Amino acid sequence: QVQLVESGGGLVQPGGSLRLSCVASGIIFSVNTMGWYRQAPGKQRELVAAIISGGSTNYADSAKGRFTISRDNHKNTVYLQMNSLKPEDTAVYYCRYELTLRPDFGSWGQGIQVTVSS
């Protein structure tokens, strides 16, 4: 079992920036994928960005050019730098850890609120 703890959310004005962090602890396999998902009220949870332990990344179209995912394997931490935030980015953001070769094996963080509003 892997535990995930997110931090860095909050309230920001449109056009602002936030950096989310997620620290993983427990039994962590070397080949894994970590990512960020989000869920807005009344909507399904959706992928924002993901990064494999080797460094390959994947972004939702809505995140491309504005968000950057990165990780520090030594610290078992994944980051999401979010720039040029829009009101439609408002959601609960969830950190996800999963085995790259068995994505059905994984863990979720508890979620952290990001609110973009003036």
Side-chain angles (χ1 to χ4, degrees):
Q1 186 84 15
V2 173
Q3 294 77 44
L4 303 170
V5 178
E6 301 118 330
S7 62
L11 173 65
V12 64
Q13 291 186 343
S17 299
L18 280 176
R19 188 194 196 204
L20 304 182
S21 300
C22 173
V23 180
S25 61
I27 300 174
I28 298 170
F29 289 85
S30 58
V31 181
N32 64 75
T33 301
M34 295 189 74
W36 290 95
Y37 289 70
R38 67 186 182 187
Q39 187 167 18
K43 295 187 177 181
Q44 290 191 336
R45 191 173 298 188
E46 62 178 6
L47 173 70
V48 177
I51 183 167
I52 301 175
S53 46
S56 297
T57 58
N58 181 36
Y59 291 92
D61 287 344
S62 60
K64 290 178 181 177
R66 299 188 300 128
F67 296 0
T68 302
I69 191 169
S70 61
R71 62 187 292 164
D72 183 332
N73 291 332
H74 295 294
K75 296 181 179 179
N76 294 322
T77 301
V78 64
Y79 306 96
L80 184 69
Q81 177 67 43
M82 303 186 292
N83 298 327
S84 302
L85 283 161
K86 305 174 182 180
E88 51 263 44
D89 294 317
T90 296
V92 177
Y93 283 69
Y94 296 90
C95 182
R96 169 75 175 168
Y97 162 93
E98 62 191 31
L99 301 183
T100 302
L101 299 180
R102 287 293 303 271
D104 52 323
F105 283 85
S107 299
W108 290 98
Q110 78 281 3
I112 191 165
Q113 179 70 44
V114 171
T115 302
V116 184
S117 175
S118 55

